[in-house]
Amino acid sequence: MATLATLYDLLAGRTAEQADAQARRMAEEKTSGNRLRPFPNDDVHFFVKKIDNSRVIRAADPDEPKVCWKTIGGAGAVAVLVIGALLPTGYNLMAGYQLEELKKEQAALEAQRASLKAEESRLLSSARLAELARKRHFAPPAPQQVIHLEDSSAKVAHNLSSGNIVR
């Protein structure tokens, strides 16, 4: 009967002798004083050689300026696109502030207009005009001094000094 360990051995390509040898090693390690398993790749050693590159001069790349200018151009294009994308939002924000400011100004002007209309109606009231006429000794006009104008829809200009009508 196959166990999971046997299946892994078949997949890894280990033979039964190798599996038995590993099991014996593990049993020996348990019986010996070592309680730790060996580290993976413990038997691999690397040789490190000191390399001195102080006298090496870097070779000039003829394509490097092109790459730099392409990078600068790409970054500039991205910046223009981002600004272009954010510009309508900023414009709408500023327009909203201006609209609110204009609404406040309109309300102030309407209040001022209402107060001016009230002042005008007070100044042009018939009682006040009669009082001013009495103080300045004004008299009502005589009937011959009253000039009745003709129909205002006709385009007529009167020259009162000569009595001529100009059409």
Side-chain angles (χ1 to χ4, degrees), residues 2-167:
T3 62
L4 192 56
T6 311
L7 182 63
Y8 286 151
D9 286 339
L10 287 175
L11 290 176
R14 290 195 312 182
T15 61
E17 294 84 26
Q18 291 173 341
D20 290 339
Q22 184 180 5
R24 270 186 261 119
R25 274 195 312 262
M26 289 179 73
E28 288 174 9
E29 288 174 2
K30 284 183 183 178
T31 57
S32 69
N34 297 339
R35 292 195 166 253
L36 293 176
R37 288 184 267 168
F39 291 112
N41 297 327
D42 195 23
D43 55 339
V44 178
H45 298 283
F46 292 103
F47 175 74
V48 179
K49 179 180 177 183
K50 178 143 174 67
I51 298 173
D52 182 22
N53 286 335
S54 62
R55 294 178 296 159
V56 176
I57 298 173
R58 186 175 196 177
D61 185 10
D63 293 335
E64 186 176 5
K66 293 178 189 174
V67 171
C68 288
W69 282 112
K70 284 182 181 179
T71 303
I72 291 170
V78 167
V80 167
L81 288 174
V82 168
I83 290 171
L86 295 178
L87 194 62
T89 304
Y91 181 73
N92 284 341
L93 185 65
M94 295 303 294
Y97 283 127
Q98 287 176 347
L99 183 65
E100 289 301 317
E101 192 174 309
L102 289 174
K103 283 181 181 178
K104 288 178 185 176
E105 185 179 347
Q106 181 184 13
L109 289 174
E110 285 177 355
Q112 183 181 9
R113 181 178 178 202
S115 67
L116 288 175
K117 277 193 169 192
E119 181 72 16
E120 180 186 20
S121 65
R122 185 187 65 79
L123 291 175
L124 293 179
S125 67
S126 59
R128 183 175 179 280
L129 290 177
E131 179 65 26
L132 284 175
R134 189 185 56 78
K135 282 185 182 176
R136 295 190 180 169
H137 307 292
F138 288 158
Q144 63 270 17
Q145 290 177 330
V146 176
I147 300 172
H148 295 284
L149 297 177
E150 295 177 17
D151 185 16
S152 63
S153 66
K155 306 234 181 204
V156 176
H158 292 277
N159 188 350
L160 295 179
S161 63
S162 65
N164 296 332
I165 298 176
V166 180
R167 289 193 189 249

